[in-house]
Amino acid sequence: MRTQVGIVGAGPAGLLLSHLLALRGIDSVLVEIRSRDYCEARQRAGVLEDGSVRLLREAGLAQRLDRQGLEHGGIYLQFGGERRHIDFRDLTGRTVTVYAQTEVVKDLIARRLADGGPEAIHFGVTDTQVVSLDTDQPVLRYTDADGSRHEVTCDAIAGCDGFHGICRSAMPRELRTTVEREYPYAWLGVLADVPPSTDELIYAHHRNGFALHSLRSPTISRLYLQVAADEDIGNWRDDRIWAELQERFALPGWTLRQGPVLDKSITAMRSFVSAPMRYGRLFLAGDAAHIVPPTGAKGLNLALADVAVLAPALDQLLTGNTELADAYSATCLERVWRATHFSWWMTTMLHSTPGADGMEAELQLAQLRYVTTSRAAATSLAENYTGLPLAAQGR
Ligand code: RFL
Ligand code: PHB
């Protein structure tokens, strides 16, 4: 078999890349180890930057997003018994949109299958391999859901297979640099069948630990609690989760509505960057190359931004011009490191570090007071949260 671009992984990065390439008349084969149902149900991110929304709109993918996405003009930061608003619209003229990653993935899968037919995405594959990466005919191998082995000769391969994928480690170890930090806490995420108790997201700093009130729709809330890094989900019955959320969000005159818990899980917190994002004809995009802690709501947005740079670079590469492909890694890494810094900054400002001394606690409060009272400091948060201007993305 032959295709122009082999794509490993049907997460947001791989799916959007396959669509952007199709818009340019470029063929791709997309392979995914999980089932379609699994990909569509996986609970993850919820906030799209202004630039991500525009990217999806320009790619003709925003019909449902424009109807169901909830535009938010700011966030609340809560600490020391007060809840203060950061007004993104006023500070930057930009907003973010709450639209779950599950919905982005559903829209992308539906569109690829409608445009490319059932062969556009191969779900449920096993034993994915990428080889001959330093030649101009790299090869993608996989076993399909019926057990047949396939070998696809490509012009380029995109490794969009997430943090636990196989593509990153297919690059020679001595040519890769990885920088990593694990945080001494995790997030317990809860999906609850109850209307949100807030009009915009609440990021709460509390002595018991951080809490976040987000949402999925006018009837579904998404809530997070900081828990120990090695926490066992079995220790968190629903009534304990609600009691802890009530305590961390407590504010006179405000009530947190409770409802049935639909889903709960624990996510580790880490920062990770592997560079460069290219080896020969293999290009990494999204979580395959970098991970940020979720406090800055950046992971999904970075994945989309990478492939917005990759699609034109591959288009040019296929015509024999390597200029954009040669610049791909550096272009993406500039945005990745900005987001890595912002996500680290939000994370360390808002969480309680186990064993921290009184100095650290006071420094966090001083920073929170500053960012909610200085227009300059608030603008810095707002422009990072809503996303870098598209010009810095190389588009
Ligand atoms: P994805 O979404 O992980 O998709 C990668 C896809 O590749 C498949 N795959 C393979 N396919 C074929 N062959 C192989 N050998 C393969 N190995 C893996 C996987 O099954 C999967 O379908 O990566 P992508 O596209 O780069 O998208 C990135 C985003 O998903 C990610 O950055 C965010 O969701 C991060 N993230 C969160 N971000 C937020 O902003 N807020 C959150 O609340 C939030 N929660 C999360 C998260 C990431 C998580 N992960 C990765 C464990 C919660 C979790 C659990
Ligand atoms: C979410 O809605 O899942 C969400 C929102 C903001 C974050 C992280 C996760 O910072």
mmCIF file of all heavy atoms in Angstrom, residues 8-14 31-34 38-39 42-46 101 125 128 160-166 187 216 222 224 266-267 285-288 291-292 294 296-300 303, ligand 1:
data_model
loop_
_atom_site.group_PDB
_atom_site.id
_atom_site.type_symbol
_atom_site.label_atom_id
_atom_site.label_comp_id
_atom_site.label_asym_id
_atom_site.label_seq_id
_atom_site.Cartn_x
_atom_site.Cartn_y
_atom_site.Cartn_z
ATOM 1 N N VAL A 8 -0.175 8.341 12.851
ATOM 2 C CA VAL A 8 -0.370 7.411 13.957
ATOM 3 C C VAL A 8 -1.111 8.138 15.077
ATOM 4 O O VAL A 8 -0.599 9.109 15.637
ATOM 5 C CB VAL A 8 0.984 6.875 14.486
ATOM 6 C CG1 VAL A 8 0.737 5.785 15.539
ATOM 7 C CG2 VAL A 8 1.840 6.344 13.346
ATOM 8 N N GLY A 9 -2.335 7.686 15.402
ATOM 9 C CA GLY A 9 -3.090 8.248 16.520
ATOM 10 C C GLY A 9 -4.260 9.107 16.085
ATOM 11 O O GLY A 9 -4.090 10.084 15.355
ATOM 12 N N ALA A 10 -5.470 8.734 16.534
ATOM 13 C CA ALA A 10 -6.685 9.502 16.211
ATOM 14 C C ALA A 10 -7.154 10.305 17.409
ATOM 15 O O ALA A 10 -8.313 10.252 17.815
ATOM 16 C CB ALA A 10 -7.785 8.571 15.705
ATOM 17 N N GLY A 11 -6.233 11.059 18.013
ATOM 18 C CA GLY A 11 -6.610 12.072 19.001
ATOM 19 C C GLY A 11 -6.831 13.365 18.240
ATOM 20 O O GLY A 11 -6.848 13.384 16.992
ATOM 21 N N PRO A 12 -6.976 14.483 18.940
ATOM 22 C CA PRO A 12 -7.199 15.756 18.257
ATOM 23 C C PRO A 12 -6.108 16.082 17.226
ATOM 24 O O PRO A 12 -6.421 16.543 16.123
ATOM 25 C CB PRO A 12 -7.184 16.779 19.394
ATOM 26 C CG PRO A 12 -7.513 16.000 20.618
ATOM 27 C CD PRO A 12 -7.028 14.612 20.407
ATOM 28 N N ALA A 13 -4.829 15.808 17.549
ATOM 29 C CA ALA A 13 -3.745 16.158 16.627
ATOM 30 C C ALA A 13 -3.849 15.354 15.327
ATOM 31 O O ALA A 13 -3.860 15.917 14.229
ATOM 32 C CB ALA A 13 -2.381 15.939 17.288
ATOM 33 N N GLY A 14 -3.916 14.029 15.418
ATOM 34 C CA GLY A 14 -3.934 13.173 14.222
ATOM 35 C C GLY A 14 -5.170 13.406 13.366
ATOM 36 O O GLY A 14 -5.099 13.466 12.136
ATOM 37 N N VAL A 31 -4.062 5.533 11.587
ATOM 38 C CA VAL A 31 -4.275 4.302 12.362
ATOM 39 C C VAL A 31 -4.382 4.623 13.851
ATOM 40 O O VAL A 31 -3.696 5.502 14.363
ATOM 41 C CB VAL A 31 -3.154 3.255 12.120
ATOM 42 C CG1 VAL A 31 -3.107 2.842 10.663
ATOM 43 C CG2 VAL A 31 -1.793 3.752 12.590
ATOM 44 N N GLU A 32 -5.257 3.889 14.552
ATOM 45 C CA GLU A 32 -5.559 4.174 15.965
ATOM 46 C C GLU A 32 -5.725 2.838 16.698
ATOM 47 O O GLU A 32 -6.449 1.966 16.223
ATOM 48 C CB GLU A 32 -6.846 5.019 16.021
ATOM 49 C CG GLU A 32 -7.532 5.106 17.367
ATOM 50 C CD GLU A 32 -6.669 5.721 18.469
ATOM 51 O OE1 GLU A 32 -6.098 6.807 18.263
ATOM 52 O OE2 GLU A 32 -6.561 5.093 19.542
ATOM 53 N N ILE A 33 -5.075 2.702 17.854
ATOM 54 C CA ILE A 33 -5.171 1.413 18.571
ATOM 55 C C ILE A 33 -6.526 1.209 19.257
ATOM 56 O O ILE A 33 -6.964 0.089 19.428
ATOM 57 C CB ILE A 33 -4.053 1.221 19.641
ATOM 58 C CG1 ILE A 33 -3.823 2.471 20.459
ATOM 59 C CG2 ILE A 33 -2.770 0.716 19.026
ATOM 60 C CD1 ILE A 33 -2.855 2.269 21.619
ATOM 61 N N ARG A 34 -7.180 2.308 19.617
ATOM 62 C CA ARG A 34 -8.442 2.186 20.356
ATOM 63 C C ARG A 34 -9.633 2.093 19.401
ATOM 64 O O ARG A 34 -9.505 2.366 18.209
ATOM 65 C CB ARG A 34 -8.646 3.409 21.246
ATOM 66 C CG ARG A 34 -7.538 3.648 22.228
ATOM 67 C CD ARG A 34 -7.561 2.618 23.318
ATOM 68 N NE ARG A 34 -6.640 2.957 24.384
ATOM 69 C CZ ARG A 34 -6.633 2.323 25.568
ATOM 70 N NH1 ARG A 34 -7.460 1.337 25.797
ATOM 71 N NH2 ARG A 34 -5.771 2.677 26.489
ATOM 72 N N TYR A 38 -14.266 4.390 22.207
ATOM 73 C CA TYR A 38 -13.320 4.755 23.266
ATOM 74 C C TYR A 38 -12.773 6.164 23.022
ATOM 75 O O TYR A 38 -12.730 6.992 23.930
ATOM 76 C CB TYR A 38 -12.176 3.733 23.311
ATOM 77 C CG TYR A 38 -11.221 3.949 24.453
ATOM 78 C CD1 TYR A 38 -11.383 3.279 25.661
ATOM 79 C CD2 TYR A 38 -10.152 4.846 24.339
ATOM 80 C CE1 TYR A 38 -10.517 3.486 26.728
ATOM 81 C CE2 TYR A 38 -9.284 5.067 25.400
ATOM 82 C CZ TYR A 38 -9.469 4.387 26.588
ATOM 83 O OH TYR A 38 -8.607 4.610 27.625
ATOM 84 N N CYS A 39 -12.369 6.433 21.768
ATOM 85 C CA CYS A 39 -11.807 7.759 21.443
ATOM 86 C C CYS A 39 -12.823 8.864 21.697
ATOM 87 O O CYS A 39 -12.467 9.954 22.129
ATOM 88 C CB CYS A 39 -11.366 7.816 19.978
ATOM 89 S SG CYS A 39 -9.947 6.775 19.624
ATOM 90 N N ARG A 42 -13.454 9.405 25.836
ATOM 91 C CA ARG A 42 -12.348 9.697 26.762
ATOM 92 C C ARG A 42 -12.461 11.126 27.310
ATOM 93 O O ARG A 42 -12.370 12.089 26.550
ATOM 94 C CB ARG A 42 -11.059 9.528 25.938
ATOM 95 C CG ARG A 42 -9.816 9.341 26.673
ATOM 96 C CD ARG A 42 -8.712 8.764 25.825
ATOM 97 N NE ARG A 42 -8.752 9.106 24.400
ATOM 98 C CZ ARG A 42 -7.999 8.545 23.477
ATOM 99 N NH1 ARG A 42 -7.143 7.613 23.812
ATOM 100 N NH2 ARG A 42 -8.084 8.905 22.220
ATOM 101 N N GLN A 43 -12.667 11.262 28.633
ATOM 102 C CA GLN A 43 -12.840 12.588 29.255
ATOM 103 C C GLN A 43 -11.506 13.285 29.412
ATOM 104 O O GLN A 43 -10.626 12.790 30.108
ATOM 105 C CB GLN A 43 -13.490 12.449 30.640
ATOM 106 C CG GLN A 43 -14.962 12.142 30.593
ATOM 107 C CD GLN A 43 -15.756 13.203 29.839
ATOM 108 O OE1 GLN A 43 -15.489 14.406 29.938
ATOM 109 N NE2 GLN A 43 -16.739 12.767 29.084
ATOM 110 N N ARG A 44 -11.350 14.426 28.776
ATOM 111 C CA ARG A 44 -10.098 15.178 28.914
ATOM 112 C C ARG A 44 -10.375 16.674 28.976
ATOM 113 O O ARG A 44 -11.160 17.120 29.776
ATOM 114 C CB ARG A 44 -9.134 14.809 27.799
ATOM 115 C CG ARG A 44 -8.559 13.406 28.013
ATOM 116 C CD ARG A 44 -7.472 13.134 27.055
ATOM 117 N NE ARG A 44 -6.839 11.856 27.296
ATOM 118 C CZ ARG A 44 -5.915 11.365 26.504
ATOM 119 N NH1 ARG A 44 -5.552 12.022 25.413
ATOM 120 N NH2 ARG A 44 -5.357 10.206 26.776
ATOM 121 N N ALA A 45 -9.743 17.434 28.096
ATOM 122 C CA ALA A 45 -9.758 18.898 28.221
ATOM 123 C C ALA A 45 -11.119 19.512 27.873
ATOM 124 O O ALA A 45 -11.991 18.853 27.300
ATOM 125 C CB ALA A 45 -8.693 19.469 27.306
ATOM 126 N N GLY A 46 -11.258 20.800 28.188
ATOM 127 C CA GLY A 46 -12.544 21.448 27.948
ATOM 128 C C GLY A 46 -12.493 22.873 27.428
ATOM 129 O O GLY A 46 -13.529 23.441 27.112
ATOM 130 N N GLN A 101 -13.204 18.280 24.717
ATOM 131 C CA GLN A 101 -12.368 17.534 23.763
ATOM 132 C C GLN A 101 -13.148 16.359 23.148
ATOM 133 O O GLN A 101 -12.971 16.043 21.972
ATOM 134 C CB GLN A 101 -11.116 17.028 24.491
ATOM 135 C CG GLN A 101 -10.154 16.284 23.583
ATOM 136 C CD GLN A 101 -8.790 16.071 24.231
ATOM 137 O OE1 GLN A 101 -8.348 16.891 25.028
ATOM 138 N NE2 GLN A 101 -8.134 14.986 23.880
ATOM 139 N N VAL A 125 -6.324 -1.003 15.660
ATOM 140 C CA VAL A 125 -5.133 -1.664 15.103
ATOM 141 C C VAL A 125 -4.216 -2.096 16.260
ATOM 142 O O VAL A 125 -4.357 -1.650 17.395
ATOM 143 C CB VAL A 125 -4.340 -0.743 14.130
ATOM 144 C CG1 VAL A 125 -5.264 -0.157 13.071
ATOM 145 C CG2 VAL A 125 -3.591 0.356 14.869
ATOM 146 N N THR A 128 1.640 -1.269 15.901
ATOM 147 C CA THR A 128 2.041 -0.191 14.993
ATOM 148 C C THR A 128 3.565 -0.064 15.030
ATOM 149 O O THR A 128 4.171 -0.091 16.101
ATOM 150 C CB THR A 128 1.441 1.156 15.468
ATOM 151 O OG1 THR A 128 0.110 0.929 15.913
ATOM 152 C CG2 THR A 128 1.472 2.196 14.366
ATOM 153 N N CYS A 160 1.303 11.221 16.028
ATOM 154 C CA CYS A 160 0.308 11.958 16.820
ATOM 155 C C CYS A 160 -0.258 11.002 17.852
ATOM 156 O O CYS A 160 -1.463 10.992 18.113
ATOM 157 C CB CYS A 160 -0.813 12.476 15.916
ATOM 158 S SG CYS A 160 -0.237 13.522 14.566
ATOM 159 N N ASP A 161 0.609 10.131 18.394
ATOM 160 C CA ASP A 161 0.132 9.003 19.201
ATOM 161 C C ASP A 161 0.249 9.229 20.701
ATOM 162 O O ASP A 161 0.292 8.267 21.465
ATOM 163 C CB ASP A 161 0.829 7.702 18.760
ATOM 164 C CG ASP A 161 2.346 7.815 18.697
ATOM 165 O OD1 ASP A 161 2.860 8.951 18.763
ATOM 166 O OD2 ASP A 161 3.019 6.777 18.593
ATOM 167 N N GLY A 162 0.272 10.487 21.131
ATOM 168 C CA GLY A 162 0.181 10.787 22.552
ATOM 169 C C GLY A 162 1.440 10.437 23.326
ATOM 170 O O GLY A 162 2.428 9.961 22.780
ATOM 171 N N PHE A 163 1.373 10.670 24.642
ATOM 172 C CA PHE A 163 2.548 10.505 25.495
ATOM 173 C C PHE A 163 3.034 9.051 25.540
ATOM 174 O O PHE A 163 4.232 8.781 25.610
ATOM 175 C CB PHE A 163 2.206 10.987 26.915
ATOM 176 C CG PHE A 163 3.362 10.951 27.857
ATOM 177 C CD1 PHE A 163 4.456 11.782 27.665
ATOM 178 C CD2 PHE A 163 3.358 10.078 28.943
ATOM 179 C CE1 PHE A 163 5.535 11.756 28.543
ATOM 180 C CE2 PHE A 163 4.434 10.055 29.823
ATOM 181 C CZ PHE A 163 5.515 10.884 29.623
ATOM 182 N N HIS A 164 2.084 8.090 25.492
ATOM 183 C CA HIS A 164 2.462 6.676 25.616
ATOM 184 C C HIS A 164 2.619 5.993 24.267
ATOM 185 O O HIS A 164 2.690 4.757 24.194
ATOM 186 C CB HIS A 164 1.417 5.925 26.463
ATOM 187 C CG HIS A 164 1.288 6.482 27.842
ATOM 188 N ND1 HIS A 164 2.259 6.306 28.804
ATOM 189 C CD2 HIS A 164 0.332 7.261 28.418
ATOM 190 C CE1 HIS A 164 1.896 6.931 29.919
ATOM 191 N NE2 HIS A 164 0.734 7.528 29.702
ATOM 192 N N GLY A 165 2.667 6.769 23.187
ATOM 193 C CA GLY A 165 2.760 6.189 21.844
ATOM 194 C C GLY A 165 4.133 5.614 21.535
ATOM 195 O O GLY A 165 5.046 5.636 22.376
ATOM 196 N N ILE A 166 4.297 5.151 20.286
ATOM 197 C CA ILE A 166 5.551 4.490 19.892
ATOM 198 C C ILE A 166 6.455 5.386 19.037
ATOM 199 O O ILE A 166 7.618 5.044 18.798
ATOM 200 C CB ILE A 166 5.281 3.170 19.109
ATOM 201 C CG1 ILE A 166 4.272 3.407 17.970
ATOM 202 C CG2 ILE A 166 4.774 2.085 20.033
ATOM 203 C CD1 ILE A 166 4.824 3.441 16.614
ATOM 204 N N TRP A 187 -4.721 15.341 39.923
ATOM 205 C CA TRP A 187 -6.088 15.870 39.888
ATOM 206 C C TRP A 187 -7.090 14.718 39.879
ATOM 207 O O TRP A 187 -6.946 13.796 39.068
ATOM 208 C CB TRP A 187 -6.327 16.683 38.606
ATOM 209 C CG TRP A 187 -5.902 18.104 38.651
ATOM 210 C CD1 TRP A 187 -5.053 18.685 39.551
ATOM 211 C CD2 TRP A 187 -6.292 19.144 37.730
ATOM 212 N NE1 TRP A 187 -4.890 20.024 39.238
ATOM 213 C CE2 TRP A 187 -5.635 20.326 38.141
ATOM 214 C CE3 TRP A 187 -7.114 19.187 36.612
ATOM 215 C CZ2 TRP A 187 -5.790 21.540 37.456
ATOM 216 C CZ3 TRP A 187 -7.268 20.384 35.934
ATOM 217 C CH2 TRP A 187 -6.614 21.557 36.364
ATOM 218 N N ARG A 216 -19.306 21.376 31.165
ATOM 219 C CA ARG A 216 -19.357 20.761 29.848
ATOM 220 C C ARG A 216 -20.533 21.277 29.031
ATOM 221 O O ARG A 216 -20.496 21.235 27.811
ATOM 222 C CB ARG A 216 -19.456 19.238 29.986
ATOM 223 C CG ARG A 216 -18.150 18.588 30.430
ATOM 224 C CD ARG A 216 -17.103 18.691 29.316
ATOM 225 N NE ARG A 216 -15.801 18.217 29.750
ATOM 226 C CZ ARG A 216 -14.813 19.006 30.175
ATOM 227 N NH1 ARG A 216 -14.976 20.302 30.220
ATOM 228 N NH2 ARG A 216 -13.655 18.506 30.528
ATOM 229 N N ARG A 222 -18.091 20.016 35.358
ATOM 230 C CA ARG A 222 -16.817 19.287 35.407
ATOM 231 C C ARG A 222 -16.020 19.902 36.549
ATOM 232 O O ARG A 222 -15.780 21.121 36.560
ATOM 233 C CB ARG A 222 -16.082 19.466 34.068
ATOM 234 C CG ARG A 222 -14.721 18.821 34.011
ATOM 235 C CD ARG A 222 -14.814 17.331 33.817
ATOM 236 N NE ARG A 222 -13.513 16.722 33.569
ATOM 237 C CZ ARG A 222 -13.198 15.476 33.899
ATOM 238 N NH1 ARG A 222 -14.090 14.699 34.493
ATOM 239 N NH2 ARG A 222 -12.005 14.984 33.628
ATOM 240 N N TYR A 224 -12.690 19.520 39.509
ATOM 241 C CA TYR A 224 -11.411 18.870 39.814
ATOM 242 C C TYR A 224 -10.979 19.209 41.233
ATOM 243 O O TYR A 224 -11.206 20.320 41.716
ATOM 244 C CB TYR A 224 -10.318 19.359 38.859
ATOM 245 C CG TYR A 224 -10.515 19.011 37.397
ATOM 246 C CD1 TYR A 224 -11.102 19.927 36.522
ATOM 247 C CD2 TYR A 224 -10.104 17.791 36.889
ATOM 248 C CE1 TYR A 224 -11.268 19.627 35.162
ATOM 249 C CE2 TYR A 224 -10.270 17.476 35.533
ATOM 250 C CZ TYR A 224 -10.848 18.400 34.684
ATOM 251 O OH TYR A 224 -11.002 18.098 33.350
ATOM 252 N N ILE A 266 -8.357 9.860 38.116
ATOM 253 C CA ILE A 266 -7.218 10.625 38.624
ATOM 254 C C ILE A 266 -6.179 10.788 37.512
ATOM 255 O O ILE A 266 -5.883 9.841 36.786
ATOM 256 C CB ILE A 266 -6.618 9.934 39.872
ATOM 257 C CG1 ILE A 266 -7.631 10.042 41.025
ATOM 258 C CG2 ILE A 266 -5.280 10.557 40.255
ATOM 259 C CD1 ILE A 266 -7.191 9.493 42.356
ATOM 260 N N THR A 267 -5.679 12.003 37.331
ATOM 261 C CA THR A 267 -4.683 12.313 36.299
ATOM 262 C C THR A 267 -3.396 12.809 36.951
ATOM 263 O O THR A 267 -3.441 13.753 37.754
ATOM 264 C CB THR A 267 -5.201 13.456 35.392
ATOM 265 O OG1 THR A 267 -6.475 13.081 34.879
ATOM 266 C CG2 THR A 267 -4.266 13.727 34.230
ATOM 267 N N ALA A 285 3.688 15.443 16.827
ATOM 268 C CA ALA A 285 2.761 16.548 17.118
ATOM 269 C C ALA A 285 1.952 16.218 18.369
ATOM 270 O O ALA A 285 1.622 15.055 18.618
ATOM 271 C CB ALA A 285 1.828 16.788 15.933
ATOM 272 N N GLY A 286 1.623 17.240 19.153
ATOM 273 C CA GLY A 286 0.778 17.071 20.336
ATOM 274 C C GLY A 286 1.497 16.372 21.480
ATOM 275 O O GLY A 286 2.716 16.491 21.643
ATOM 276 N N ASP A 287 0.699 15.605 22.273
ATOM 277 C CA ASP A 287 1.236 14.962 23.478
ATOM 278 C C ASP A 287 2.384 13.989 23.185
ATOM 279 O O ASP A 287 3.123 13.625 24.101
ATOM 280 C CB ASP A 287 0.122 14.184 24.202
ATOM 281 C CG ASP A 287 -0.760 15.072 25.070
ATOM 282 O OD1 ASP A 287 -0.712 16.302 24.905
ATOM 283 O OD2 ASP A 287 -1.504 14.526 25.912
ATOM 284 N N ALA A 288 2.545 13.546 21.961
ATOM 285 C CA ALA A 288 3.677 12.664 21.615
ATOM 286 C C ALA A 288 4.993 13.389 21.892
ATOM 287 O O ALA A 288 6.012 12.758 22.189
ATOM 288 C CB ALA A 288 3.592 12.253 20.147
ATOM 289 N N ILE A 291 3.971 17.484 27.128
ATOM 290 C CA ILE A 291 2.846 17.387 28.073
ATOM 291 C C ILE A 291 2.932 18.597 29.011
ATOM 292 O O ILE A 291 4.026 18.966 29.428
ATOM 293 C CB ILE A 291 2.988 16.114 28.959
ATOM 294 C CG1 ILE A 291 2.944 14.839 28.123
ATOM 295 C CG2 ILE A 291 1.953 16.081 30.065
ATOM 296 C CD1 ILE A 291 1.557 14.370 27.778
ATOM 297 N N VAL A 292 1.795 19.186 29.311
ATOM 298 C CA VAL A 292 1.766 20.252 30.313
ATOM 299 C C VAL A 292 0.759 19.867 31.401
ATOM 300 O O VAL A 292 -0.200 19.156 31.111
ATOM 301 C CB VAL A 292 1.347 21.617 29.692
ATOM 302 C CG1 VAL A 292 2.462 22.210 28.852
ATOM 303 C CG2 VAL A 292 0.060 21.499 28.876
ATOM 304 N N PRO A 294 -2.560 20.374 33.516
ATOM 305 C CA PRO A 294 -3.783 20.946 32.929
ATOM 306 C C PRO A 294 -4.214 22.315 33.470
ATOM 307 O O PRO A 294 -5.163 22.894 32.945
ATOM 308 C CB PRO A 294 -4.850 19.886 33.238
ATOM 309 C CG PRO A 294 -4.310 19.092 34.356
ATOM 310 C CD PRO A 294 -2.831 19.133 34.268
ATOM 311 N N GLY A 296 -3.300 25.282 33.082
ATOM 312 C CA GLY A 296 -3.370 26.402 32.141
ATOM 313 C C GLY A 296 -4.296 26.118 30.965
ATOM 314 O O GLY A 296 -4.433 26.952 30.069
ATOM 315 N N ALA A 297 -4.927 24.921 30.925
ATOM 316 C CA ALA A 297 -5.826 24.503 29.837
ATOM 317 C C ALA A 297 -5.139 24.570 28.467
ATOM 318 O O ALA A 297 -5.711 25.061 27.500
ATOM 319 C CB ALA A 297 -7.110 25.348 29.849
ATOM 320 N N LYS A 298 -3.920 24.087 28.398
ATOM 321 C CA LYS A 298 -3.138 24.264 27.173
ATOM 322 C C LYS A 298 -2.944 23.001 26.312
ATOM 323 O O LYS A 298 -2.626 23.098 25.127
ATOM 324 C CB LYS A 298 -1.733 24.794 27.524
ATOM 325 C CG LYS A 298 -1.726 26.243 27.971
ATOM 326 C CD LYS A 298 -1.912 27.186 26.796
ATOM 327 C CE LYS A 298 -2.351 28.555 27.213
ATOM 328 N NZ LYS A 298 -3.685 28.933 26.792
ATOM 329 N N GLY A 299 -3.061 21.786 26.900
ATOM 330 C CA GLY A 299 -2.662 20.552 26.185
ATOM 331 C C GLY A 299 -3.334 20.391 24.831
ATOM 332 O O GLY A 299 -2.670 20.204 23.803
ATOM 333 N N LEU A 300 -4.646 20.467 24.813
ATOM 334 C CA LEU A 300 -5.408 20.311 23.570
ATOM 335 C C LEU A 300 -5.064 21.428 22.574
ATOM 336 O O LEU A 300 -4.898 21.183 21.381
ATOM 337 C CB LEU A 300 -6.901 20.332 23.925
ATOM 338 C CG LEU A 300 -7.913 20.472 22.812
ATOM 339 C CD1 LEU A 300 -7.808 19.324 21.833
ATOM 340 C CD2 LEU A 300 -9.329 20.520 23.398
ATOM 341 N N ALA A 303 -1.787 20.826 20.855
ATOM 342 C CA ALA A 303 -1.888 19.752 19.856
ATOM 343 C C ALA A 303 -2.450 20.312 18.545
ATOM 344 O O ALA A 303 -1.941 20.017 17.455
ATOM 345 C CB ALA A 303 -2.769 18.621 20.393
HETATM 346 P P1 RFL B 1 -4.062 12.057 22.429
HETATM 347 O O1 RFL B 1 -5.396 12.688 22.640
HETATM 348 O O2 RFL B 1 -3.449 11.329 23.582
HETATM 349 O O3 RFL B 1 -4.223 11.072 21.192
HETATM 350 C C1 RFL B 1 -3.238 10.126 20.856
HETATM 351 C C2 RFL B 1 -3.924 8.961 20.192
HETATM 352 O O4 RFL B 1 -2.943 8.012 19.752
HETATM 353 C C3 RFL B 1 -3.406 6.716 20.043
HETATM 354 N N1 RFL B 1 -2.248 5.808 20.074
HETATM 355 C C4 RFL B 1 -1.905 4.999 19.047
HETATM 356 N N2 RFL B 1 -2.444 4.786 17.846
HETATM 357 C C5 RFL B 1 -1.851 3.875 17.032
HETATM 358 N N3 RFL B 1 -0.731 3.166 17.373
HETATM 359 C C6 RFL B 1 -0.161 3.362 18.577
HETATM 360 N N4 RFL B 1 0.942 2.663 18.911
HETATM 361 C C7 RFL B 1 -0.731 4.306 19.468
HETATM 362 N N5 RFL B 1 -0.433 4.732 20.722
HETATM 363 C C8 RFL B 1 -1.349 5.641 21.071
HETATM 364 C C9 RFL B 1 -4.136 6.872 21.358
HETATM 365 O O5 RFL B 1 -5.048 5.812 21.613
HETATM 366 C C10 RFL B 1 -4.830 8.201 21.167
HETATM 367 O O6 RFL B 1 -6.115 8.056 20.585
HETATM 368 O O7 RFL B 1 -2.980 13.098 21.932
HETATM 369 P P2 RFL B 1 -3.111 14.453 21.044
HETATM 370 O O8 RFL B 1 -3.918 14.214 19.821
HETATM 371 O O9 RFL B 1 -1.741 14.979 20.974
HETATM 372 O O10 RFL B 1 -4.012 15.429 21.936
HETATM 373 C C11 RFL B 1 -3.525 15.976 23.126
HETATM 374 C C12 RFL B 1 -4.647 16.114 24.166
HETATM 375 O O11 RFL B 1 -5.418 14.931 24.226
HETATM 376 C C13 RFL B 1 -4.059 16.408 25.545
HETATM 377 O O12 RFL B 1 -3.035 17.383 25.480
HETATM 378 C C14 RFL B 1 -5.059 16.936 26.554
HETATM 379 O O13 RFL B 1 -6.237 16.206 26.626
HETATM 380 C C15 RFL B 1 -4.330 16.944 27.915
HETATM 381 N N6 RFL B 1 -5.216 16.719 29.005
HETATM 382 C C16 RFL B 1 -5.920 17.762 29.471
HETATM 383 N N7 RFL B 1 -5.716 18.996 28.933
HETATM 384 C C17 RFL B 1 -6.409 20.044 29.375
HETATM 385 O O14 RFL B 1 -6.212 21.158 28.865
HETATM 386 N N8 RFL B 1 -7.342 19.883 30.398
HETATM 387 C C18 RFL B 1 -7.599 18.649 30.963
HETATM 388 O O15 RFL B 1 -8.424 18.531 31.844
HETATM 389 C C19 RFL B 1 -6.871 17.541 30.508
HETATM 390 N N9 RFL B 1 -7.078 16.303 31.038
HETATM 391 C C20 RFL B 1 -5.378 15.429 29.552
HETATM 392 C C21 RFL B 1 -6.341 15.234 30.565
HETATM 393 C C22 RFL B 1 -4.613 14.330 29.130
HETATM 394 C C23 RFL B 1 -4.740 13.058 29.694
HETATM 395 N N10 RFL B 1 -3.863 11.997 29.258
HETATM 396 C C24 RFL B 1 -3.079 12.138 28.071
HETATM 397 C C25 RFL B 1 -3.518 10.851 29.991
HETATM 398 C C26 RFL B 1 -6.546 13.960 31.107
HETATM 399 C C27 RFL B 1 -5.762 12.870 30.679
HETATM 400 C C28 RFL B 1 -6.063 11.534 31.294
#
